[in-house]
C-alpha cells in the first residue's frame, strides 16, 4: 500500500537524516517505528503521507510513484491515509466535532451525525464535542486526533507519538483503540520512542518493530 | 471566466467556516472596494457627461453657422440679397434664414435690456445657416462672400468649437483612464489583502491540505470570502456615489451647452455594473493570490 524503496532524505542541503530506507506496509499489518528522539521518525512518517518528497529513491502509494501524483491526487491520497500528527494539527477556530469531521467537510462528503456521535463515543469525547481544541487535555487531544484520522475510514493509519503527552492508562487506552482498528483490517504504523508501549502491545497483536538508528531502518529483534 | 468560478461562489456555506475570521484584511477589502466603487461612479459620470457634451457641441454647432453683415444702412438690403443668392447656390446648405428684428432684439436683450429700439441701432443683419450632409466648404463660401458682399462675415463656429470639443474628448479620455486605473487599483489592493490573509492563515491552509482538501477547495473558500466582501463594499460605495451625484447642484437649462456631472437616461444604469466588475476583479485577484500561496505547499 505504501512502499519505500531505497529512500534517502535530508533537510535542505544538510547531511542525510535517513538513507537506504526500504519499507513495505502490507495491508492489515501492524508496525511500530521506534528510535531515539531526533532519529527521524516524524520525517519518515511525513514521507509516507507525501508531506515530504524523498531526496533519493522512490515512495509508492497504492502502486503509484509519488512524483506522478497530481496535487489533487495527493489530496485524495490523504483521505485514504489517516494521520495522527505529533502536534495534532487542529484548527483552533473550529469545535472538536468540526475538527473531527474536517476531512469529510473538505472533501465534500456528507457528514452523518450518528457516525460522528459513534466516533466521539468510541474515543470517549462525547461531552467535549462542542469544546474547542485548546480546551482539551493532552489525552483528549490525542483521541480527537485519532478520531479525525479515522473519520474517512482510511485503509492506513499513521500515528506519530500518539501517546506523547499522556499518562500510562491513557496510553494503553489509545493503544487498544489502534489495535481495534487493526483488527478491523486497517494497516497501522505507530511511531513512538516509548518501548513499554510496544511491550504492552505484544499480548494484543502481532507486530513488526522497526528501529531507526544512524539514519538506517532495521528490524528490531527480541531485545525489546 | 469559467463557470466553475461562479459556482464556487454559490455553493458550500459550511466551507466558509473553514477559513478563520480574516478580520482586518477583509475589512480592508470592504473599505477599498467601497472607496474605489465610489470613485468609479464619478469617473463613469465624468466619462458619460463629457462624451455627451462632446456630441452635443459638435452636433449642435457643426450644424449651424452665422453670417453677419455689417454694411452701411443704404447698402444693407443689397448685400443681404447678394448673400442670399450666394447661399442658394452653395452646396451643403439645407436652409438659411435672416433673423427678424424681434429675434435680434431677443438676442441683445440680456445685454441691452428689454424694449430697445432695434431700428435705431446700427446692428448687423444676421443670417442663420443650417448645414446639410457633410456641410459646405467654408473657405469657398468666404471667398464668394468677399467678392459679392464685402461686409459679410461667415462665422462657422469652428474656430471656438474645435478646442471645446477637443477638451471634452480629453476629459472623456481622462474619465476612461480613471476607470481603468481604479480597476487596476482595486485588483492590486484586493490581491495584497488576500495575500496577507493567506499568509496569515498559512497554518490553516497546511492543515487543510493535510486532511485532504484540494487546492480548489481552499482557494474557493478564500475567493468566496473576499469576493463577497468586495461585492458588498462596492455596492455600498457605488450607491453612495450615485446618491452624491444626485445631490450635486444641477446647472442645466434646456438651452445650456453646459451639462452637469450627472447621468442621463440609460446612463443611470451604468453604476449597477460597478459592483459585479469589482466582484469579478476580487475573484480573479484572490484566485491569483491563492494559486501563488498554494503552489509553495506540498
Ligand atoms: N523542517 C526541518 N528542517 C530542518 N531540520 C528538521 C526539520 N524537521 C526536523 N528536522 C530535524 O531532523 C531530525 C529528525 O527529526 P524528526 O523526524 O522530527 O525526529 P523524531 O520524530 O524521530 O524525533 C531532527 O534533528 C530535527 O531537528
Ligand atoms: Mg517526532
Amino acid at each position: 500500500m505504501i512502499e519505500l524503496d531505497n529512500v534517502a532524505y535530508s533537510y535542505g542541503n544538510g547531511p542525510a537524516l535517513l538513507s537506504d530506507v526500504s519499507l513495505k506496509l502490507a495491508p492489515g499489518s501492524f508496525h511500530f517505528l521506534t528510535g531515539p528522539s531526533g532519529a527521524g521518525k516524524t520525517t519518515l512518517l511525513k514521507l509516507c503521507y507525501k508531506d515530504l518528497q524523498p531526496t533519493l529513491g522512490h515512495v509508492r502509494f497504492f502502486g503509484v510513484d509519488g512524483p506522478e501524483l497530481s496535487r489533487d491526487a495527493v489530496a485524495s491520497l490523504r483521505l485514504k491515509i489517516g494521520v495522527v500528527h505529533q502536534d495534532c494539527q487542529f484548527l483552533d477556530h473550529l469545535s472538536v466535532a468540526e475538527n473531527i469531521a474536517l476531512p469529510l467537510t473538505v472533501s465534500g462528503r456528507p457528514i452523518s451525525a450518528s457516525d460522528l456521535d459513534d466516533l466521539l463515543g468510541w474515543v470517549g469525547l462525547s461531552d467535549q464535542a462542542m469544546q474547542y481544541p485548546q480546551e482539551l487535555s493532552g489525552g483528549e487531544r490525542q483521541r480527537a486526533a485519532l478520531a479525525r484520522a479515522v473519520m474517512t475510514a482510511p485503509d492506513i493509519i499513521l500515528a506519530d507519538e500518539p501517546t506523547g503527552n499522556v499518562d500510562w492508562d491513557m496510553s494503553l487506552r489509545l493503544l487498544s483503540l489502534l489495535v481495534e482498528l487493526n483488527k478491523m483490517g486497517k494497516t497501522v504504523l505507530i511511531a513512538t520512542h516509548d518501548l513499554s508501549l510496544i511491550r504492552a502491545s505484544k499480548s494484543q497483536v502481532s507486530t513488526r518493530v522497526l528501529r531507526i538508528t544512524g539514519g538506517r531502518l532495521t528490524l528490531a529483534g527480541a531485545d525489546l | 471566466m469559467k463557470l466553475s468560478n461562479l459556482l464556487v461562489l454559490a455553493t458550500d456555506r459550511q466551507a466558509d467556516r473553514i477559513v478563520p475570521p480574516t478580520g482586518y484584511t477583509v475589512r480592508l477589502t470592504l473599505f477599498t472596494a467601497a472607496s474605489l466603487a465610489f470613485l468609479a461612479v464619478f469617473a463613469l459620470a465624468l466619462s458619460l457627461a463629457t462624451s455627451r457634451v462632446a456630441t452635443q457641441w459638435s452636433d449642435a454647432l457643426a450644424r449651424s453657422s452665422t453670417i453677419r453683415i455689417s454694411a452701411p444702412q443704404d447698402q444693407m438690403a443689397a448685400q443681404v440679397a447678394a448673400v442670399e443668392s450666394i447661399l442658394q447656390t452653395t452646396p451643403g446648405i439645407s436652409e438659411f434664414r435672416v433673423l427678424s428684428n424681434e429675434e435680434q432684439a431677443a438676442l441683445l436683450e440680456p445685454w441691452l435690456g428689454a424694449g430697445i429700439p432695434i431700428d435705431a441701432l446700427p446692428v448687423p443683419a444676421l443670417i442663420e445657416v443650417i448645414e446639410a450632409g457633410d456641410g459646405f466648404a467654408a473657405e469657398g463660401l468666404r471667398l464668394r462672400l468677399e467678392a459679392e458682399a464685402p461686409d459679410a462675415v461667415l462665422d462657422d463656429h469652428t474656430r471656438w468649437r474645435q478646442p471645446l470639443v477637443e477638451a471634452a474628448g480629453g476629459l472623456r479620455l481622462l474619465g476612461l483612464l480613471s476607470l481603468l486605473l481604479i480597476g487596476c487599483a482595486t485588483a492590486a489592493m484586493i490581491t495584497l489583502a488576500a495575500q496577507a490573509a493567506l499568509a496569515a492563515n498559512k497554518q490553516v491552509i497546511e492543515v487543510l491540505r493535510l486532511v485532504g482538501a484540494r487546492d480548489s477547495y481552499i482557494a474557493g473558500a478564500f475567493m468566496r470570502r473576499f469576493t463577497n466582501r468586495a461585492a458588498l463594499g462596492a455596492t455600498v460605495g457605488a450607491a453612495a456615489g450615485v446618491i452624491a451625484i444626485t445631490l450635486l447642484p444641477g446647472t442645466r437649462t434646456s438651452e445650456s451647452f453646459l451639462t452637469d456631472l450627472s447621468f442621463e437616461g440609460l446612463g443611470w444604469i451604468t453604476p449597477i455594473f460597478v459592483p459585479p466588475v469589482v466582484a469579478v476583479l476580487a475573484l480573479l485577484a484572490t484566485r491569483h493570490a491563492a494559486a501563488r500561496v498554494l503552489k509553495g505547499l506540498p
Side-chain angles (χ1 to χ4, degrees), chain A residues 51 71-72 78 93 98, chain B residues 17-18 209 215 294 297:
Chain A
D51 200 22
R71 291 182 63 82
D72 282 355
R78 300 224 169 116
H93 67 285
E98 284 174 315
Chain B
R17 301 232 330 112
I18 300 301
R209 275 296 295 177
D215 287 349
L294 288 165
L297 294 178

Side-chain angles (χ1 to χ4, degrees), chain B residues 251-296:
Chain B
T251 56
R252 171 166 339 170
T253 62
S254 58
E255 303 283 297
S256 172
F257 283 141
L258 288 170
T259 322
D260 326 50
L261 181 66
S262 182
F263 294 107
E264 211 168 63
L266 285 179
W268 283 106
I269 295 172
T270 54
I272 288 177
F273 295 111
V274 170
V277 168
V278 170
V280 167
L281 285 174
L283 185 93
L284 295 177
T286 315
R287 195 179 60 167
H288 175 70
R292 279 178 51 135
V293 170
L294 288 165
K295 216 169 55 187

Side-chain angles (χ1 to χ4, degrees), chain A residues 11-12 17 35-44 46 86 160-161 212:
Chain A
Y11 283 103
L17 175 65
S37 180
K41 300 183 293 294
T42 299
T43 304
L44 184 54
K46 284 184 174 171
Q86 190 165 5
D160 195 357
E161 307 278 5
I212 304 177

Side-chain angles (χ1 to χ4, degrees), chain B residues 115-145:
Chain B
I116 37 162
I118 196 111
D119 296 331
L121 291 172
V123 289
L126 292 176
I127 302 176
E128 188 186 21
V129 183
I130 307 294
E131 290 177 18
D134 290 337
F136 53 82
E139 278 321 298
L141 181 59
R142 251 186 213 112
L143 287 174
R144 290 177 65 195
L145 287 173

Side-chain angles (χ1 to χ4, degrees), chain B residues 34-99:
Chain B
S35 318
L36 292 175
F38 187 83
L39 295 177
V41 169
F42 275 91
L44 256 180
L46 178 70
S47 307
L48 292 180
T50 44
S51 57
R52 207 159 55 221
V53 167
T55 329
Q56 266 176 19
W57 284 351
S58 37
D59 274 8
L61 296 176
R63 306 275 66 170
S64 87
S65 319
T66 314
I67 293 172
R68 179 167 34 94
I69 306 156
S70 323
Q73 215 59 35
D74 54 332
Q75 292 172 29
M76 187 62 96
Q79 288 209 15
V80 167
V83 170
E84 282 182 298
S85 71
I86 291 172
L87 288 176
Q88 250 143 21
T89 57
T90 305
I93 290 175
S94 78
E95 58 174 288
F96 61 89
R97 99 203 144 77
V98 182
L99 263 60

Side-chain angles (χ1 to χ4, degrees), chain A residues 74-148:
Chain A
V74 171
S76 310
L77 177 72
R78 300 224 169 116
L79 298 169
K80 289 195 258 177
I81 304 175
V83 181
V84 181
H85 300 271
Q86 190 165 5
D87 39 9
C88 291
Q89 304 275 19
F90 293 127
L91 294 183
D92 289 338
H93 67 285
L94 298 181
S95 72
V96 169
E98 284 174 315
N99 266 290
I100 290 174
L102 199 55
L104 292 183
T105 310
V106 300
S107 55
R109 301 192 198 171
I111 299 161
S112 136
S114 67
D115 283 359
L116 189 58
D117 284 345
D118 289 350
L119 193 55
L120 283 162
W122 181 65
V123 294
L125 289 176
S126 300
D127 296 338
Q128 284 81 10
M130 299 324 284
Q131 287 183 356
Y132 285 83
Q134 58 274 29
E135 298 165 357
L136 298 184
S137 72
E140 289 167 339
R141 284 174 69 86
Q142 295 289 8
R143 281 179 284 149
L146 181 59
R148 188 180 72 184

